[in-house]
Amino acid sequence: RKEVEQDPGPFNVPEGATVAFNCTYSNSASQSFFWYRQDCRKEPKLLMSVYSSGNEDGRFTAQLNRASQYISLLIRDSKLSDSATYLCVVNPSGTYKYIFGTGTRLKVLA
Amino acid sequence: DTAVSQTPKYLVTQMGNDKSIKCEQNLGHDTMYWYKQDSKKFLKIMFSYNNKELIINETVPNRFSPKSPDKAHLNLHINSLELGDSAVYFCASSQGNRVRETQYFGPGTRLLVL
């Protein structure tokens, strides 16, 4: 089993739609979780950290399910500018090693 | 001001050559990283330095040698370049290994080995 797994997509959704991605991780001791966004030919940038209680930032909501070892990202009212690859990142406790998923590609269509 | 910068942005070279990529961060971070993103877009850690000390050395051919002259710089030297080394190399930095630490990435160096 891969350490961090994501559905590569692409997810093609119309503008205004709600879309959700999941990411599973194998190390149950993992403490830190993040969603990064990567645009084509650009560097990854932090979208949001994922907290145990879940967190929301505008149209974006991140959730953590420790029992099932997955994190999720929900995007409401999708915009064309949301088109990108969304990378799930896990940092096992006590290490400097950030483990990236392969990313989920989102295309928001006009 | 660019937080994490890399040079060069593009590098086209012949097989067998030796090349270096430089990275600098002005965020005052303690930890720096090198990642490789291959053609399938998978981002994999190669090395990590904390306060100039090597702390992560993933299964990387010993043709790759990182060097950290100081906390703000982490360079990557590659000997005897091979076709399979073609990829985008990202440098990143973070404050340290605290929970919820954010990594800041440089713009990437696109390496093409012919």
Side-chain angles (χ1 to χ4, degrees):
Chain A
R1 182 182 175 185
K2 286 184 183 175
E3 292 179 280
V4 178
E5 289 199 76
Q6 294 182 253
D7 181 341
F11 284 58
N12 297 323
V13 302
E15 266 188 294
T18 294
V19 61
F21 314 133
N22 280 347
C23 164
T24 59
Y25 60 94
S26 61
N27 186 341
S28 59
S30 297
Q31 294 294 319
S32 305
F33 309 89
F34 310 85
W35 284 103
Y36 276 70
R37 170 191 169 132
Q38 186 173 25
D39 293 288
C40 188
R41 301 182 69 77
K42 297 284 189 182
E43 72 273 23
K45 289 183 179 176
L46 179 71
L47 179 66
M48 57 200 306
S49 300
V50 186
Y51 304 141
S52 294
S53 54
N55 47 305
E56 188 174 311
D57 182 3
R59 297 180 294 108
F60 298 84
T61 301
Q63 297 279 353
L64 167 64
N65 185 319
R66 286 195 183 275
S68 300
Q69 292 182 214
Y70 74 86
I71 64 173
S72 63
L73 177 68
L74 180 79
I75 306 175
R76 287 181 297 277
D77 188 22
S78 299
K79 312 287 185 195
L80 293 176
S81 57
D82 294 334
S83 297
T85 296
Y86 291 83
L87 301 167
C88 169
V89 184
V90 176
N91 187 352
S93 181
T95 77
Y96 289 88
K97 185 178 170 182
Y98 291 77
I99 301 168
F100 282 72
T102 51
T104 297
R105 196 161 160 222
L106 172 66
K107 290 184 182 178
V108 181
L109 309 170
Chain B
D1 283 344
T2 304
V4 183
S5 58
Q6 293 178 230
T7 54
K9 286 187 92 170
Y10 300 95
L11 188 51
V12 181
T13 188
Q14 299 285 336
M15 264 193 341
N17 283 350
D18 302 339
K19 290 292 177 187
S20 290
I21 308 172
K22 295 186 176 182
C23 177
E24 176 181 0
Q25 54 96 3
N26 63 8
L27 297 166
H29 286 167
D30 290 337
T31 310
M32 296 185 72
Y33 312 78
W34 277 111
Y35 286 88
K36 177 180 179 181
Q37 189 168 44
D38 58 27
S39 57
K40 294 181 180 174
K41 308 299 182 189
F42 181 50
L43 199 66
K44 194 169 187 322
I45 192 164
M46 300 172 69
F47 301 104
S48 178
Y49 271 74
N50 179 259
N51 281 317
K52 302 195 298 175
E53 183 184 339
L54 181 66
I55 50 172
I56 292 176
N57 185 351
E58 288 295 285
T59 310
V60 176
N62 58 14
R63 298 182 294 103
F64 290 78
S65 51
K67 279 195 173 56
S68 182
D70 55 60
K71 218 170 70 163
H73 295 85
L74 180 60
N75 304 324
L76 184 65
H77 188 76
I78 315 171
N79 289 328
S80 304
L81 278 155
E82 299 178 358
L83 295 177
D85 297 333
S86 297
V88 182
Y89 292 83
F90 286 102
C91 176
S93 74
S94 69
Q95 182 57 51
N97 187 29
R98 293 195 293 266
V99 175
R100 300 177 190 146
E101 200 62 66
T102 301
Q103 286 192 303
Y104 295 84
F105 284 81
T109 295
R110 282 158 183 79
L111 171 65
L112 178 60
V113 182
L114 302 173

